[in-house]
DNA sequence: GGATATCATACTGATTCAGTCGGAATTACC
DNA sequence: GGTAATTCCGACTGAATCAGTATGATATCC
């Protein structure tokens, strides 16, 4: 029941990209330094985020990374799935399909609990966007993204 | 974000003890066989459950394990904490105390999400009891619970 | 006393995880 | 065109955690 460091790092880094959204691409090195994440490791994560279509990389000098979508359209669940694969509290209650392994044991008393846990987790992760994250972080009143929440 | 096998095993085994609650102590071996759990491994888990005060062991022939409390007074969270320690999605959002490590980084955009996730998980785990588990398992209209048996 | 159990500790093998290395390809700027 | 900046890529490694085993001691019923 613990988050991987991949997820922790990726979410923090994505939050920073969201902050800078709309401006120039942000070089990975700076993100790694500010967030205190090993640079090469973050590079690996960014590759996965890119393959998942969440970010775009611009090569060469003055290059860097930027979001492909609006911060309000990227959820924490999206990020987690990109770097850690499908969310699954156990093989019995994976998202996607094919829980054939446990289906036959339909008399398993634990199954309903895990299913409830799984859907609770997924619903929290999928209902929080990068925009939400920035909005609830006090230290950030970002230029550009104001507008009236409430 | 995955359950340990300790938790999966322990919860299944405890559900079986709950089923037999009120009768004779149940030997570990039978539980292990019926639930398809390595016996010696389960023994290890039962020791932790015992130290946590959730079950009682009766030694010797005709011995076995039984619940110390009513099934309605034992939650899945209790079981999980007994075998896996405190529930914590990350060091920033552990239950108990001392999150000094991340407290200084109070500008961390991810923190509120993890806190929400943590409390969502805990609330599901702590609101489901063994009694609930049996009640929602269709295949069980248990015969064992009316005393006589043998 | 012997069979049946729980109780206790220590060990091991495998898998996963976090992080690293070395280098190739691309682009801005001079 | 050269150089520095920067993304892109695959493979590798060391460490930690996890799942499961081995061995034996202690208690209790018959």
């Amino acid at each position: 029941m613990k988050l991987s460091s991949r997820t922790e790092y990726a979410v923090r880094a994505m939050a920073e990209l969201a902050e800078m959204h709309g401006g120039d691409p942000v070089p990975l090195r700076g993100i790694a330094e500010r967030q205190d994440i090993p640079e090469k490791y973050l590079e690996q994560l960014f590759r996965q985020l890119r393959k998942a279509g969440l970010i775009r990389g611009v090569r060469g000098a003055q290059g860097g990374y930027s979001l492909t979508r609006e911060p309000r359209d990227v959820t924490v669940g999206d990020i987690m799935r990109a770097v850690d694969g499908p969310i699954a509290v156990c093989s019995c209650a994976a998202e996607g399909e094919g829980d054939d392994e446990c289906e036959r044991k339909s008399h398993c008393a634990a199954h309903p609990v895990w299913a409830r846990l799984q859907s609770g987790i997924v619903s929290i992760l999928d209902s929080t966007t990068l925009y939400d994250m920035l909005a609830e972080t006090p230290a950030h009143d970002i230029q550009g993204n104001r507008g009236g929440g409430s």
Side-chain angles (χ1 to χ4, degrees), chain A:
Chain A
M1 278 292 92
K2 206 164 162 242
L3 297 163
S4 69
S5 76
R6 309 175 78 81
T7 291
E8 288 196 53
Y9 289 164
V11 168
R12 295 218 314 264
M14 286 291 279
E16 206 175 315
L17 285 189
E19 241 180 278
M20 304 307 188
H21 186 58
D24 292 332
V26 186
L28 182 140
R29 169 166 309 176
I31 300 177
E33 276 168 8
R34 283 186 295 272
Q35 297 291 334
D36 198 35
I37 300 171
E39 187 178 336
K40 278 297 194 180
Y41 193 38
L42 186 58
E43 202 177 300
Q44 214 177 89
L45 303 181
F46 268 32
R47 207 181 330 164
Q48 294 183 265
L49 293 168
R50 195 178 59 82
K51 281 184 184 164
L54 298 179
I55 62 177
R56 157 183 34 243
V58 177
R59 289 177 155 205
Q62 315 302 323
Y65 291 93
S66 54
L67 295 183
T68 56
R69 314 183 205 155
E70 295 299 310
R72 87 184 66 239
D73 292 329
V74 181
T75 71
V76 175
D78 293 333
I79 300 169
M80 191 179 291
R81 289 186 192 90
V83 297
D84 266 336
I87 298 168
V89 300
C90 68
S91 42
C92 319
E95 58 186 0
E97 19 54 56
D99 22 342
D100 40 10
E101 185 187 2
C102 199
E103 206 59 272
R104 52 190 183 144
K105 299 184 181 177
S106 63
H107 59 285
C108 167
H111 196 285
V113 191
W114 302 150
R116 211 152 47 232
L117 185 62
Q118 166 86 19
S119 94
I121 290 174
V122 165
S123 110
I124 291 174
L125 295 176
D126 282 348
S127 68
T128 307
T129 70
L130 289 175
Y131 178 82
D132 298 331
M133 287 183 50
L134 296 190
E136 68 189 343
T137 305
H140 289 130
D141 54 328
I142 316 121
Q143 65 225 350
N145 247 349
R146 80 205 87 169
S150 132

